Amino acid sequence: MKIRHAQESDIEQLKALSEAVDTASHWTQQQWLDIFRTESPARVAWLAEEEGGESFGHAIGFLVALNGGPDWELENIAVLPEFRSHGIGLGLLQALLGEARSQSAGRILLEVRASNQAAIGFYRANGFQLLTRRRDYYMGPTEDALILERLIFD
């Protein structure tokens, strides 16, 4: 597996991954373009690729985060179901933590559906704690969002 910064030329792969994973945010073409073309707010994206033969290239996961200075936000993360429990999500999260730490971030925030127990377990195992709950935040179906945070320490 290889994790690298995603580029605008990766948008079709990023979109395909998000559509293949039910729990990922399904963004419009413009929202994907904004990641690479808008400086405010600054965003960064990583792409996880599976090794295929002598090269990498088969996209199997991604993570998108907003760089808000001291507060970063994990906005979107997805790993193809057949590649879960292979360290892909952890590798993507470590890439985010490393970059956030290098830019002196104080914490990383995220929101997750209250019913997404697999994701909540993953985040808690990696140092995220409950900050607050937003009642009826999600629609289709209506559901609470949990806001989790991870403090960054040197």
Side-chain angles (χ1 to χ4, degrees), residues 35-118:
I35 293 168
F36 304 102
R37 295 184 179 176
T38 305
E39 293 181 17
S40 182
R43 288 188 168 90
V44 64
W46 290 270
L47 189 64
E49 297 173 318
E50 180 185 38
E51 187 171 6
E54 295 182 16
S55 64
F56 290 91
H58 178 74
I60 55 177
F62 73 85
L63 185 148
V64 178
L66 182 143
N67 174 348
D71 290 342
W72 284 46
E73 182 180 349
L74 192 165
E75 293 186 303
N76 205 350
I77 185 170
V79 174
L80 290 175
E82 62 268 29
F83 290 95
R84 292 188 184 147
S85 299
H86 291 91
I88 312 298
L90 179 60
L92 290 163
L93 184 59
Q94 287 174 336
L96 168 61
L97 290 168
E99 189 153 334
R101 189 174 287 118
S102 75
Q103 294 191 31
S104 301
R107 66 182 178 167
I108 296 173
L109 300 162
L110 63 87
E111 61 189 35
V112 61
R113 282 184 178 269
S115 65
N116 192 343
Q117 292 301 307

Side-chain angles (χ1 to χ4, degrees), residues 17-35:
L17 282 167
S18 76
E19 291 166 7
V21 178
D22 291 342
T23 56
S25 297
H26 303 280
W27 291 342
T28 65
Q29 179 74 14
Q30 188 59 53
Q31 287 173 305
W32 285 110
L33 286 169
D34 287 348
I35 293 168

